[in-house]
Amino acid sequence: MNRHTIAVAALAVAAGLAASLPAGAQDAKTHPEPAGFEAAAKTSWSKVKPDEWKTRLDTDETQQLCNLYRNNPPPDIARKIMEMNRATVVYPADGQVIGDWKKGQALANNGRGGQFSDEPNTVNGGNCYACHQLDPKEVSFGTLGPSLTGYGKARDFSPEAAKEAYAKIYNAQAAFACTNMPRFGATRFLSEQQMKDAVALLFSRDSPVNK
């Protein structure tokens, strides 16, 4: 199954879920019953193999709250989400959060990992360019997230800012409640070294991000 087929299938599932809801539940001003959505989603994935994929439909408290408030939680709930997720951040035991920016660049360009078509030994990538501008010479990048061009330079290459960046990569919900950014470290999608390399891409003086 190629990416195009997967995308079309995902849209079809989404359309089917929406169509199966009562008319009132489709109103943007009403909240559909979460249990009904979850049941329909799990049924639509019932033939997916391996079974590990089905566990990706399980939601933790953060996801449940973001779903409930449609990614726009009130201030008190937003604080709760960020506090919960800050508690999950684990910094490197050696105290170093900056790795190799060249490996970070390769990581940012790698969109593999977590796909149906990937082999079991596929190395996960960060796919950072899908949402962010990084190297100013790169013409292909997404705009879902903010531009990160000049990120380290704008922060005077501060060690404290680098540590904050590591935490955001590890679990972005610790800094932005209901963000679209993946929780790379909390979900173990990226390794500690990969996250260090991503921080290096942002904070190394030699990185193209800061040129």
Side-chain angles (χ1 to χ4, degrees):
M1 184 180 293
N2 60 37
R3 296 185 188 181
H4 177 71
T5 303
I6 294 171
V8 171
L11 290 173
V13 169
L17 290 176
S20 66
L21 293 171
Q26 297 180 42
D27 189 327
K29 296 182 180 180
T30 63
H31 289 256
E33 193 64 36
F37 252 128
E38 289 186 15
K42 289 182 178 180
T43 299
S44 69
W45 286 65
S46 62
K47 296 182 180 180
V48 171
K49 299 293 182 180
D51 289 339
E52 180 270 333
W53 276 85
K54 298 174 186 177
T55 64
R56 301 187 183 197
L57 297 174
D58 297 333
T59 55
D60 62 8
E61 186 175 1
T62 293
Q63 291 170 310
Q64 291 168 8
L65 287 171
C66 290
N67 290 343
L68 178 63
Y69 293 101
R70 299 192 176 190
N71 292 335
N72 187 28
D76 60 326
I77 299 299
R79 284 192 296 272
K80 177 181 179 180
I81 290 171
M82 290 187 287
E83 288 171 1
M84 285 193 303
N85 286 277
R86 272 196 292 269
T88 72
V89 177
V90 178
Y91 293 99
D94 62 7
Q96 301 298 317
V97 298
I98 297 179
D100 184 331
W101 74 260
K102 292 181 180 178
K103 291 181 179 179
Q105 177 76 306
L107 178 75
N109 276 301
N110 181 6
R112 300 303 300 275
Q115 302 179 42
F116 285 110
S117 57
D118 291 329
E119 296 296 330
N121 61 347
T122 299
V123 176
N124 292 338
N127 202 23
C128 308
Y129 279 99
C131 297
H132 301 283
Q133 180 183 24
L134 290 143
D135 183 345
K137 293 182 180 179
E138 174 60 64
V139 297
S140 179
F141 56 87
T143 56
L144 184 61
S147 172
L148 302 180
T149 297
Y151 194 89
K153 187 176 182 180
R155 291 159 178 77
D156 297 321
F157 303 103
S158 161
E160 292 77 16
K163 188 175 180 180
E164 289 176 5
Y166 183 92
K168 290 176 184 177
I169 294 169
Y170 191 100
N171 189 340
Q173 296 281 359
F176 310 106
C178 298
T179 177
N180 289 313
M181 185 170 171
R183 293 179 276 181
F184 288 112
T187 60
R188 296 181 175 83
F189 191 80
L190 294 181
S191 69
E192 178 183 284
Q193 186 58 54
Q194 286 179 309
M195 290 185 286
K196 286 184 176 184
D197 294 339
V199 174
L201 179 63
L202 297 175
F203 278 88
S204 173
R205 294 177 185 273
D206 294 327
S207 168
V209 169
N210 295 306
K211 298 298 182 182

